[in-house]
Amino acid sequence: MPRLIVLRGVDEGKQFDLSGQAVTVGRHSSNAVALHDTQISRRHLELRSLPAGGYQVFDLGSGNGTLLNGQPVSSAPLRSGDQIAVGQSILLYTAARADTPANELTERVRLLARGAEPDVMAAIVRRVGVDTGSQILSQPNAAGSDWLKGRLAGLAALYETAEAVSHILDVDELLAKVMELVLKSVDGDHGCFMIRDEAGHLAPKAVRYRDGLNRLEELPVSRTIVDHVLKESQGVLVTDAQSDARFRGGASIHRHNIREAICVPMKGRREVLGVLFLDTHSTLKQFVSGGREAGKFTEDHLHLASAIAHQAAIAVEESRYHQALVHAERLAAIGQTIAALSHHIKNIMQGVRFGADMVRTAITDDDKDLLGKGWKLVEKNQGRIDQLILDMLSYSKEREPAIEPTDLNKLCLDVLDMVRGRAKDRGVVLDWREGANVGAVPCDPDGIHRAVLNIVINALDAVEDRPGAKVAVQALLEPDGNWAKVIVLDNGPGVAAGKMDDIFKPFVSTKGSRGTGLGLPVSRKILREHGGDILVQSVPEKGTKFTLRLPMKSAFAADSAGGTTLHPAYDPPPE
């Protein structure tokens, strides 16, 4: 689905899905995209759907106007990655795949069935291997004919550039790699990119010197040439800069004796990001004689540099686009986290305040019974705060488990001892089945204890107030001896099929104000840190089965063998 993401402004991080024929953007709350920027109009612009998919932006006579990729527009079609500036806000438009116009000619393609055509295999006269294309592009000199070599010479550099930029997201790393390829292809002495920053100032990037040159020498980049290229939007090849009348006023050219230079604009899909600048010096003999021999740079080099600069510009745009999306996603995630935490903390603090009011009233009235109830409520909510903090730390911190041989039976019994009082108060029967060959399972006992405890507590909460409430726990080794597991089975209401994917999402809780929404995500994270996982089977109104699997991969577990047959009471709920 097409989307607007607020990259900058009061509403930074917000995302708006776009649907319908027309979507209005403005300050008033009636707009589908309502922003809080005081410098935009009540109804600032409208996005209208196009017949072939996607949207077109229309300014609705706004006071401050609308900028598309830095240029004022009244109407223009949108492409994925376009930036819309309104007031102090910048909106990023991302298009769905379905927004790409379909090729009507695809309807004319018909795939012939086998046997409905002549023997085409007999008509094959030449064959090439699957890697032939990449091989000839990477080694054009090895091509079979001069005709092919000539046409591949320039393509090889473009192929290498495309290969380099296809997997590099860091802009500085990307430009450095491209500059290395440029100097190799164009045979220059020095090269650099001059990239515009957010303020519009040019800053050098990826400066490179040809091997053998003194790297302590200053690299002079002619402001005269750069300004000309940016102003005229054209690349130039200066074969003898000192005699070129267009650049005669440029002091840097004369002072540093730039004999040959190539400067081409870095034009991406949307804007000019800067320039690619290359230079080379003539030999001492050429310089002294003042001859007019052909230099190192040719028109072919100019065309090749222009093509590479275009590829680099597109890659930089894509990298910035990706970074903007990541930034927006992080902001959105932070916002969701803060909202969820605020909700849970508010519920806990209500309990604390209520308990504190009871304690205050009990002290005033000298009511010891009320004092005990109030203090018990305060302690309960203090424990919930501790639980929330521990869950947050466990979920947010990457940690390596402290592996040691652990008796899984004893670990599970300890968990059951901790919840036995809670189970008794709620009328829940705890059924424990001890497993064989799980006395030395390689795991972090503290982490697995916490995971099992979370799952058992969830099971107790699930069966509360249900007739015949029961929670069954068993530890066992799988028959092949490669996995140990703890099974927690309850006869609660189960989990609906459509909600199964949500139960492991952070801050999603089925317990209302009682849960933090982090218990299951934390438990799965702990198991996955061990190389295991948590599996869930559930049937609505019949029960849920959680299986915590741990790999038996440590050397001290090599002698473990055999297994335990699952007791019938632990069979998965019927499908």
Side-chain angles (χ1 to χ4, degrees), residues 334 337 341 387-400 450 506-507 517-526 529:
I334 290 171
T337 302
L341 281 175
Q387 181 73 20
L388 177 61
I389 292 172
L390 286 174
D391 283 342
M392 288 172 59
L393 290 174
S394 297
Y395 189 75
S396 63
K397 184 179 179 181
E398 293 295 332
R399 60 187 295 271
E400 256 194 59
R450 181 166 180 74
F507 303 115
L518 283 173
L520 285 177
V522 166
S523 299
R524 170 170 274 187
K525 180 174 180 288
I526 292 171
E529 286 171 348

Side-chain angles (χ1 to χ4, degrees), residues 156-182 193 266 269 307-320 322:
L158 296 179
Y159 171 74
E160 286 189 80
T161 305
E163 283 285 293
V165 303
S166 63
H167 61 277
I168 300 176
L169 292 178
D170 180 77
V171 172
D172 291 339
E173 182 185 353
L174 184 151
L175 292 176
K177 181 64 177 177
V178 172
M179 182 53 65
E180 291 175 2
L181 296 172
V182 170
F193 289 101
M266 293 181 63
R269 294 190 181 97
I308 293 177
H310 175 62
Q311 274 190 299
I314 291 176
V316 170
E317 281 183 338
E318 291 299 318
S319 179
R320 289 177 175 176
H322 173 78

Side-chain angles (χ1 to χ4, degrees), residues 32-81:
V33 179
L35 304 175
H36 297 89
D37 190 334
T38 57
Q39 294 190 17
I40 67 175
S41 303
R42 290 167 61 85
R43 293 182 77 252
H44 196 102
L45 62 88
E46 187 173 73
L47 303 180
R48 301 175 188 171
S49 62
L50 296 170
Y55 282 87
Q56 186 165 1
V57 60
F58 286 86
D59 185 85
L60 299 177
S62 61
N64 293 325
T66 300
L67 300 180
L68 180 63
N69 300 319
Q71 300 298 320
V73 295
S74 57
S75 67
L78 292 174
R79 294 177 297 181
S80 189

Side-chain angles (χ1 to χ4, degrees), residues 161-472:
T161 305
E163 283 285 293
V165 303
S166 63
H167 61 277
I168 300 176
L169 292 178
D170 180 77
V171 172
D172 291 339
E173 182 185 353
L174 184 151
L175 292 176
K177 181 64 177 177
V178 172
M179 182 53 65
E180 291 175 2
L181 296 172
V182 170
L183 287 183
K184 183 175 70 172
S185 303
V186 181
D187 194 25
D189 290 335
H190 315 90
C192 72
F193 289 101
M194 301 294 294
I195 307 294
R196 284 190 173 120
D197 58 21
E198 292 185 358
H201 301 134
L202 289 170
K205 298 283 186 181
V207 180
R208 290 293 183 271
Y209 287 43
R210 180 171 53 81
D211 291 342
L213 294 181
N214 182 5
R215 297 179 181 275
L216 297 179
E217 285 184 357
E218 187 181 61
L219 170 58
V221 176
S222 171
R223 165 66 72 173
T224 309
I225 295 177
V226 170
D227 288 346
H228 174 83
V229 168
L230 292 175
K231 180 181 178 181
E232 302 296 331
S233 295
Q234 60 179 211
V236 298
L237 164 59
V238 184
T239 57
D240 187 348
Q242 290 183 337
S243 63
D244 195 317
R246 289 173 299 173
F247 311 119
R248 195 163 287 163
S252 64
I253 296 176
H254 296 277
R255 184 167 60 250
H256 296 289
N257 296 312
I258 298 178
R259 304 289 293 176
E260 298 175 66
I262 285 177
C263 188
V264 292
M266 293 181 63
K267 173 65 167 66
R269 294 190 181 97
R270 303 171 186 88
E271 59 182 327
V272 177
L273 305 179
V275 300
L276 164 60
F277 185 86
L278 303 167
D279 79 347
T280 185
H281 293 271
S282 301
T283 63
L284 181 60
K285 177 180 178 180
Q286 288 175 319
F287 177 74
V288 172
S289 64
R292 301 289 297 177
E293 298 111 319
K296 295 180 182 178
F297 291 161
T298 67
E299 188 175 353
D300 288 340
H301 291 133
L302 177 63
H303 290 160
L304 181 59
S306 180
I308 293 177
H310 175 62
Q311 274 190 299
I314 291 176
V316 170
E317 281 183 338
E318 291 299 318
S319 179
R320 289 177 175 176
Y321 174 47
H322 173 78
Q323 290 171 0
L325 285 177
V326 171
H327 179 64
E329 291 290 345
R330 285 176 178 170
L331 287 174
I334 290 171
Q336 292 172 0
T337 302
I338 291 174
L341 281 175
S342 299
H343 172 73
H344 289 302
I345 292 172
K346 180 186 70 175
N347 288 333
I348 294 173
M349 291 309 299
Q350 284 177 347
V352 172
R353 282 193 294 269
F354 185 58
D357 289 341
M358 292 175 65
V359 170
R360 190 180 302 110
T361 302
I363 292 175
T364 302
D365 298 342
D366 195 22
D367 187 338
K368 292 184 178 180
D369 183 50
L370 183 62
L371 179 63
K373 292 180 179 179
W375 183 245
K376 185 176 181 180
L377 186 58
V378 171
E379 282 187 321
K380 177 182 178 181
N381 284 281
Q382 177 182 323
R384 292 174 63 194
I385 292 174
D386 292 339
Q387 181 73 20
L388 177 61
I389 292 172
L390 286 174
D391 283 342
M392 288 172 59
L393 290 174
S394 297
Y395 189 75
S396 63
K397 184 179 179 181
E398 293 295 332
R399 60 187 295 271
E400 256 194 59
I403 303 295
E404 61 181 74
T406 302
D407 189 330
L408 218 51
N409 284 325
K410 290 183 179 179
L411 184 147
C412 292
L413 280 172
D414 185 61
V415 168
L416 292 177
D417 286 341
M418 292 180 66
V419 300
R420 208 172 295 279
R422 181 184 303 195
K424 183 177 180 181
D425 292 341
R426 300 181 181 184
V428 179
V429 175
L430 293 178
D431 185 7
W432 160 244
R433 300 288 173 138
E434 185 172 292
N437 302 317
V438 291
V441 176
C443 67
D444 180 340
D446 292 334
I448 298 303
H449 185 281
R450 181 166 180 74
V452 175
L453 179 62
N454 280 337
I455 301 300
V456 171
I457 288 175
N458 277 356
L460 289 174
D461 291 338
V463 299
E464 186 176 7
D465 299 329
R466 290 180 68 85
K470 181 178 180 180
V471 173

